[in-house]
Each structure stands twice: as C-alpha cells, then as structure tokens.
Amino acid sequence: MHENPVEQHHKSPIAGRRLGIAADHGGFALKTLIAAVLRQRNLDVVDFGAPELDPDDDYPDFVLPLARAVARGEVARGIAVCGSGVGACVAANKVPGVRAALITDGFSAHQGVEDDDMNILCLGGRVTGEALALELVNSFLNAEFKSSERYQRRLDKVAAAEVAR
C-alpha cells in the first residue's frame, strides 16, 4: 500500500464538505489513488468517473459534470485528471464560476486557492508522479481563500468577464 502523504496538520477548510474527482483514461490510475487516499482520511469523495478504464473515453464527459457540481456548490472543490491535465483544465474553465488550474508545483497548489480562489485542481496522470500528486492535493485542500479586498476585486473582474461572454 502507498504511504499516505496527504495529512491534516490543522483543521482543513474542506473538512466535512464533499469533494469531487473526475478523470478520463489518461488520469484513471491517478484518480483512483487520490480518491482512495482521501477516503482513508474520511473525506466524502464524489467520483464523477470514469467508472472504469476505457481507452476510448473523453475527458469532457467526466470533467464537465464535476465542474458543474463545483459551480453549483454541490461539491466544495474538485480534482480533475487527464493525461496531461491540459484538456481537463480547458474543459473545466468553460463552466462559469469555475476557477481551474493545471498545477505542477506545491506553491501554486496553495497560492491558487489563497489568492485566486481556485476551486478545481487539474493534474496530468501521465506526467505527475503519485507522491507529488498527493502533495499537491494536500496543499490544495488545506489552503483557504484570503478574501482580502484586492483578491476579491480581481475575482469580481473575472466573474464580470464570464457574464460578458
């Protein structure tokens, strides 16, 4: 079994809240690992698929339902995985209210939440190792939006751009 590097060092902002996770065939193995580790932490994880490894599936079929659930508040945050993470990120950001980012380093994993209220973490199942992925998930889930005036001002500008589409 894998060591569990996803640890809570303090009360997590997502404690007691539902999380969503989704992946296509390129992220299926990493999604399965992350979901198992989060469930070991007694977190409520909603799996938006893929339900099984299918090399012919398409990431939008799983990532868009996850993104809609995040935007509606049905899950507090989401994790989307495809082969590179790029497609999952592009698809998730098509849903108004979603702020998804492809993350490859620990600083961005928490800073994206703290400054930009990132609500979906995107990972590349074919390019992100298991240990790093679990570290990034931990940083993402334990971060909180700072909600200072300047960060909120920026988010308001982003939300206005979504409406102006």
Side-chain angles (χ1 to χ4, degrees), residues 16-33:
R17 299 173 72 194
R18 299 175 85 194
L19 302 173
I21 193 163
D24 68 354
H25 59 278
F28 185 80
L30 189 57
K31 174 195 77 133
T32 302
L33 170 69

Side-chain angles (χ1 to χ4, degrees), residues 43-129:
L43 295 173
D44 184 6
V45 179
V46 179
D47 190 334
F48 288 84
E52 60 188 31
L53 182 58
D54 176 357
D56 293 325
D57 65 16
D58 298 317
Y59 61 83
D61 295 336
F62 312 110
V63 173
L64 289 172
L66 165 66
R68 290 180 189 114
V70 169
R72 290 190 299 257
E74 294 168 6
V75 295
R77 292 191 193 162
I79 301 166
V81 191
C82 68
S84 68
V86 173
C89 186
V90 169
N93 278 310
K94 296 298 180 185
V95 177
V98 167
R99 292 167 303 281
L102 172 57
I103 300 296
T104 59
D105 67 277
F107 175 77
S108 298
H110 68 81
Q111 185 271 341
V113 175
E114 293 166 354
D115 294 5
D116 304 306
D117 203 16
M118 175 176 64
N119 52 18
I120 296 184
L121 171 72
C122 299
L123 299 170
R126 294 183 175 142
V127 295
T128 308

